[in-house]
Amino acid sequence: MAQHVHNKALLTRAFALARQRPRYLLLALLVLLGFLIALFCGTAAARGDRDALIECSSDEAVPLPSAESKASPSPDSSSESAVLIVDVSGAVLNPGVYKLKEGSRVDDAIQAAGGLSEDADTSVLNRASLLSDGMKITVPRQGEAAREGSPAVGDAQVSSDASTAKSLININTASSEELQTLNGVGPSTAEAIIADREENGLFATTEDLMRVSGIGDKKFAKIKDAICV
């Protein structure tokens, strides 16, 4: 700033001298040129310092995490919670432990294990059942009894048990006609069974039926698999 004031005073003096003495006009022009150069250099230097300061500030700035990035859950945690691990064995091409997506069904697990083998018994499979984590799926082979409690055949097993229970004759509630459907039980034996349970109370076990007159070990052996209490 002081340099600008000095240059301006020098320029004023040079022009005053040039008016008094025209031969000093060239000197005045040279002083004017020097003043303009000094003014330009000072302005450029000031602009350069300001740009450098702005650039330095931008380099040191550290962006703060946005609220959206804080709120977004980790992708790993969501993917891990949606994975089911199941054990597939039996009549499949590649038995083993497999990872499947949540909501997968028994058929998806079978396909992950390479599909069914040629000797697989599909008649007892419920391939539409939903999977749960840690489930073991055993696909039976043809001629092999379905393993009781296997998730793959669970529905079929329940249906089989229910139909078997319905086919048995309950000796505590059966009528005379129902009792006569048993092997070796005629009208007189059926009436004796009903009279015994009315007189002595209900049968606690199927073996209690042998307390009825006319039912010995041989006759009981013929009907024991067809009765229940």
Side-chain angles (χ1 to χ4, degrees):
M1 184 67 179
Q3 182 66 29
H4 288 173
V5 173
H6 175 71
N7 291 339
K8 187 175 182 181
L10 184 60
L11 180 61
T12 303
R13 187 180 305 171
F15 274 102
L17 184 60
R19 284 196 298 270
Q20 295 175 2
R21 299 180 182 181
R23 62 182 179 178
Y24 289 112
L25 179 59
L26 179 60
L27 177 61
L29 293 176
L30 291 176
V31 173
L32 175 60
L33 180 61
F35 174 76
L36 293 177
I37 292 174
L39 179 63
F40 175 78
C41 291
T43 304
R47 186 185 301 112
D49 292 342
R50 185 175 65 254
D51 293 342
L53 180 60
I54 294 175
E55 182 178 358
C56 180
S57 300
S58 62
D59 291 341
E60 294 178 356
V62 178
L64 295 176
S66 62
E68 183 179 356
S69 62
K70 291 181 179 180
S72 59
S74 172
D76 295 338
S77 60
S78 60
S79 60
E80 289 179 358
S81 61
V83 172
L84 302 176
I85 300 178
V86 296
D87 184 3
V88 186
S89 61
V92 292
L93 297 180
N94 301 307
V97 177
Y98 294 92
K99 292 182 178 181
L100 297 170
K101 294 181 179 179
E102 187 176 10
S104 299
R105 299 181 183 271
V106 169
D107 187 64
D108 297 322
I110 293 174
Q111 296 305 319
L116 297 169
S117 59
E118 293 182 357
D119 59 345
D121 184 3
T122 59
S123 63
V124 295
L125 282 177
N126 182 7
R127 288 184 279 185
S129 294
L130 283 171
L131 297 176
S132 60
D133 188 45
M135 177 181 286
K136 179 175 177 61
I137 301 169
T138 303
V139 181
R141 303 180 187 277
Q142 294 178 3
E144 179 181 70
R147 185 173 299 177
E148 187 174 354
S150 173
V153 296
D155 292 349
Q157 186 69 33
V158 171
S159 299
S160 176
D161 292 344
S163 61
T164 301
K166 289 181 179 179
S167 63
L168 297 178
I169 300 297
N170 190 324
I171 56 178
N172 284 324
T173 60
S175 63
S176 176
E177 290 77 10
E178 290 173 332
L179 291 171
Q180 291 179 47
T181 61
L182 296 172
N183 186 18
V185 176
S188 59
T189 304
E191 292 299 330
I193 293 173
I194 295 174
D196 183 275
R197 74 190 185 198
E198 290 178 351
E199 181 178 351
N200 300 315
L202 299 178
F203 302 104
T205 64
T206 55
E207 287 78 6
D208 289 345
L209 189 62
M210 289 188 291
R211 75 190 185 195
V212 178
S213 177
I215 299 180
D217 292 339
K218 291 183 179 180
K219 182 173 288 189
F220 178 76
K222 294 180 181 180
I223 64 175
K224 66 178 182 178
D225 293 331
I227 60 176
C228 65
V229 293

PDB file of all heavy atoms in Angstrom, residues 14 21 23-24 35 68 83 95 111 118-120 154 216 226:
ATOM      1  N   ALA A  14       6.139  13.812 -11.722  1.00  0.00           N
ATOM      2  CA  ALA A  14       6.692  13.706 -13.076  1.00  0.00           C
ATOM      3  C   ALA A  14       5.831  14.458 -14.077  1.00  0.00           C
ATOM      4  O   ALA A  14       6.331  15.145 -14.982  1.00  0.00           O
ATOM      5  CB  ALA A  14       6.803  12.230 -13.468  1.00  0.00           C
ATOM      6  N   ARG A  21       8.323  21.558 -18.196  1.00  0.00           N
ATOM      7  CA  ARG A  21       9.408  21.349 -19.156  1.00  0.00           C
ATOM      8  C   ARG A  21       9.027  20.163 -20.048  1.00  0.00           C
ATOM      9  O   ARG A  21       9.113  19.007 -19.627  1.00  0.00           O
ATOM     10  CB  ARG A  21      10.724  21.072 -18.445  1.00  0.00           C
ATOM     11  CG  ARG A  21      11.158  22.246 -17.560  1.00  0.00           C
ATOM     12  CD  ARG A  21      12.466  21.937 -16.879  1.00  0.00           C
ATOM     13  NE  ARG A  21      12.867  23.023 -15.992  1.00  0.00           N
ATOM     14  CZ  ARG A  21      13.999  23.026 -15.275  1.00  0.00           C
ATOM     15  NH1 ARG A  21      14.815  21.978 -15.357  1.00  0.00           N
ATOM     16  NH2 ARG A  21      14.298  24.061 -14.498  1.00  0.00           N
ATOM     17  N   ARG A  23      10.405  18.576 -22.263  1.00  0.00           N
ATOM     18  CA  ARG A  23      11.401  17.547 -22.540  1.00  0.00           C
ATOM     19  C   ARG A  23      11.382  16.429 -21.507  1.00  0.00           C
ATOM     20  O   ARG A  23      11.985  15.377 -21.693  1.00  0.00           O
ATOM     21  CB  ARG A  23      12.788  18.172 -22.607  1.00  0.00           C
ATOM     22  CG  ARG A  23      13.239  18.823 -21.322  1.00  0.00           C
ATOM     23  CD  ARG A  23      14.608  19.444 -21.504  1.00  0.00           C
ATOM     24  NE  ARG A  23      15.053  20.090 -20.289  1.00  0.00           N
ATOM     25  CZ  ARG A  23      16.247  20.681 -20.167  1.00  0.00           C
ATOM     26  NH1 ARG A  23      17.085  20.708 -21.223  1.00  0.00           N
ATOM     27  NH2 ARG A  23      16.602  21.270 -19.040  1.00  0.00           N
ATOM     28  N   TYR A  24      10.725  16.699 -20.382  1.00  0.00           N
ATOM     29  CA  TYR A  24      10.620  15.646 -19.362  1.00  0.00           C
ATOM     30  C   TYR A  24       9.374  14.773 -19.560  1.00  0.00           C
ATOM     31  O   TYR A  24       9.012  13.984 -18.692  1.00  0.00           O
ATOM     32  CB  TYR A  24      10.575  16.258 -17.954  1.00  0.00           C
ATOM     33  CG  TYR A  24      11.895  16.850 -17.528  1.00  0.00           C
ATOM     34  CD1 TYR A  24      12.044  18.238 -17.374  1.00  0.00           C
ATOM     35  CD2 TYR A  24      12.991  16.016 -17.280  1.00  0.00           C
ATOM     36  CE1 TYR A  24      13.247  18.781 -16.987  1.00  0.00           C
ATOM     37  CE2 TYR A  24      14.205  16.569 -16.895  1.00  0.00           C
ATOM     38  CZ  TYR A  24      14.331  17.938 -16.751  1.00  0.00           C
ATOM     39  OH  TYR A  24      15.533  18.476 -16.360  1.00  0.00           O
ATOM     40  N   PHE A  35       4.435   2.549 -12.836  1.00  0.00           N
ATOM     41  CA  PHE A  35       3.329   2.520 -11.882  1.00  0.00           C
ATOM     42  C   PHE A  35       2.303   1.448 -12.255  1.00  0.00           C
ATOM     43  O   PHE A  35       1.813   0.693 -11.407  1.00  0.00           O
ATOM     44  CB  PHE A  35       2.672   3.907 -11.835  1.00  0.00           C
ATOM     45  CG  PHE A  35       1.427   3.944 -10.993  1.00  0.00           C
ATOM     46  CD1 PHE A  35       1.504   3.950  -9.598  1.00  0.00           C
ATOM     47  CD2 PHE A  35       0.173   3.966 -11.590  1.00  0.00           C
ATOM     48  CE1 PHE A  35       0.354   3.983  -8.836  1.00  0.00           C
ATOM     49  CE2 PHE A  35      -0.973   3.991 -10.822  1.00  0.00           C
ATOM     50  CZ  PHE A  35      -0.888   3.998  -9.432  1.00  0.00           C
ATOM     51  N   GLU A  68     -27.720 -40.509   6.314  1.00  0.00           N
ATOM     52  CA  GLU A  68     -28.165 -41.698   5.583  1.00  0.00           C
ATOM     53  C   GLU A  68     -27.177 -42.835   5.733  1.00  0.00           C
ATOM     54  O   GLU A  68     -27.542 -43.988   5.900  1.00  0.00           O
ATOM     55  CB  GLU A  68     -28.342 -41.343   4.106  1.00  0.00           C
ATOM     56  CG  GLU A  68     -28.870 -42.497   3.257  1.00  0.00           C
ATOM     57  CD  GLU A  68     -29.056 -42.091   1.811  1.00  0.00           C
ATOM     58  OE1 GLU A  68     -28.841 -40.896   1.516  1.00  0.00           O
ATOM     59  OE2 GLU A  68     -29.420 -42.950   1.008  1.00  0.00           O
ATOM     60  N   VAL A  83     -29.981 -66.595   5.748  1.00  0.00           N
ATOM     61  CA  VAL A  83     -29.408 -67.840   5.248  1.00  0.00           C
ATOM     62  C   VAL A  83     -29.841 -69.003   6.126  1.00  0.00           C
ATOM     63  O   VAL A  83     -29.811 -68.914   7.352  1.00  0.00           O
ATOM     64  CB  VAL A  83     -27.866 -67.750   5.199  1.00  0.00           C
ATOM     65  CG1 VAL A  83     -27.266 -69.105   4.872  1.00  0.00           C
ATOM     66  CG2 VAL A  83     -27.428 -66.733   4.166  1.00  0.00           C
ATOM     67  N   PRO A  95     -25.215 -85.739  -1.417  1.00  0.00           N
ATOM     68  CA  PRO A  95     -25.600 -85.470  -0.026  1.00  0.00           C
ATOM     69  C   PRO A  95     -24.596 -84.523   0.636  1.00  0.00           C
ATOM     70  O   PRO A  95     -23.406 -84.539   0.324  1.00  0.00           O
ATOM     71  CB  PRO A  95     -25.556 -86.863   0.624  1.00  0.00           C
ATOM     72  CG  PRO A  95     -25.638 -87.830  -0.517  1.00  0.00           C
ATOM     73  CD  PRO A  95     -24.944 -87.163  -1.662  1.00  0.00           C
ATOM     74  N   GLN A 111     -32.669 -79.913  -4.933  1.00  0.00           N
ATOM     75  CA  GLN A 111     -31.994 -79.438  -6.141  1.00  0.00           C
ATOM     76  C   GLN A 111     -30.573 -78.983  -5.829  1.00  0.00           C
ATOM     77  O   GLN A 111     -29.655 -79.183  -6.631  1.00  0.00           O
ATOM     78  CB  GLN A 111     -32.792 -78.287  -6.770  1.00  0.00           C
ATOM     79  CG  GLN A 111     -34.183 -78.686  -7.255  1.00  0.00           C
ATOM     80  CD  GLN A 111     -34.157 -79.852  -8.222  1.00  0.00           C
ATOM     81  OE1 GLN A 111     -33.286 -79.935  -9.096  1.00  0.00           O
ATOM     82  NE2 GLN A 111     -35.103 -80.772  -8.071  1.00  0.00           N
ATOM     83  N   GLU A 118     -31.924 -92.073  -8.969  1.00  0.00           N
ATOM     84  CA  GLU A 118     -32.905 -92.885  -9.689  1.00  0.00           C
ATOM     85  C   GLU A 118     -33.725 -93.773  -8.759  1.00  0.00           C
ATOM     86  O   GLU A 118     -34.856 -94.134  -9.082  1.00  0.00           O
ATOM     87  CB  GLU A 118     -32.182 -93.753 -10.728  1.00  0.00           C
ATOM     88  CG  GLU A 118     -31.542 -92.943 -11.853  1.00  0.00           C
ATOM     89  CD  GLU A 118     -30.885 -93.834 -12.882  1.00  0.00           C
ATOM     90  OE1 GLU A 118     -30.887 -95.072 -12.680  1.00  0.00           O
ATOM     91  OE2 GLU A 118     -30.372 -93.306 -13.893  1.00  0.00           O
ATOM     92  N   ASP A 119     -33.167 -94.132  -7.612  1.00  0.00           N
ATOM     93  CA  ASP A 119     -33.878 -95.038  -6.707  1.00  0.00           C
ATOM     94  C   ASP A 119     -34.626 -94.293  -5.607  1.00  0.00           C
ATOM     95  O   ASP A 119     -35.044 -94.891  -4.616  1.00  0.00           O
ATOM     96  CB  ASP A 119     -32.905 -96.038  -6.079  1.00  0.00           C
ATOM     97  CG  ASP A 119     -31.792 -95.348  -5.298  1.00  0.00           C
ATOM     98  OD1 ASP A 119     -31.609 -94.130  -5.485  1.00  0.00           O
ATOM     99  OD2 ASP A 119     -31.107 -96.029  -4.512  1.00  0.00           O
ATOM    100  N   ALA A 120     -34.824 -92.981  -5.764  1.00  0.00           N
ATOM    101  CA  ALA A 120     -35.526 -92.205  -4.738  1.00  0.00           C
ATOM    102  C   ALA A 120     -37.011 -92.546  -4.729  1.00  0.00           C
ATOM    103  O   ALA A 120     -37.624 -92.761  -5.776  1.00  0.00           O
ATOM    104  CB  ALA A 120     -35.336 -90.712  -4.990  1.00  0.00           C
ATOM    105  N   GLY A 154     -42.542 -85.658   6.770  1.00  0.00           N
ATOM    106  CA  GLY A 154     -43.285 -85.424   8.006  1.00  0.00           C
ATOM    107  C   GLY A 154     -44.785 -85.462   7.821  1.00  0.00           C
ATOM    108  O   GLY A 154     -45.505 -86.108   8.578  1.00  0.00           O
ATOM    109  N   GLY A 216     -58.631-116.140  24.979  1.00  0.00           N
ATOM    110  CA  GLY A 216     -57.370-116.628  25.528  1.00  0.00           C
ATOM    111  C   GLY A 216     -56.186-116.059  24.762  1.00  0.00           C
ATOM    112  O   GLY A 216     -56.308-115.119  23.965  1.00  0.00           O
ATOM    113  N   ALA A 226     -55.131-105.189  15.928  1.00  0.00           N
ATOM    114  CA  ALA A 226     -56.270-104.485  15.346  1.00  0.00           C
ATOM    115  C   ALA A 226     -57.074-103.728  16.384  1.00  0.00           C
ATOM    116  O   ALA A 226     -58.108-103.144  16.060  1.00  0.00           O
ATOM    117  CB  ALA A 226     -57.174-105.473  14.611  1.00  0.00           C
TER     118      ALA A 226
END
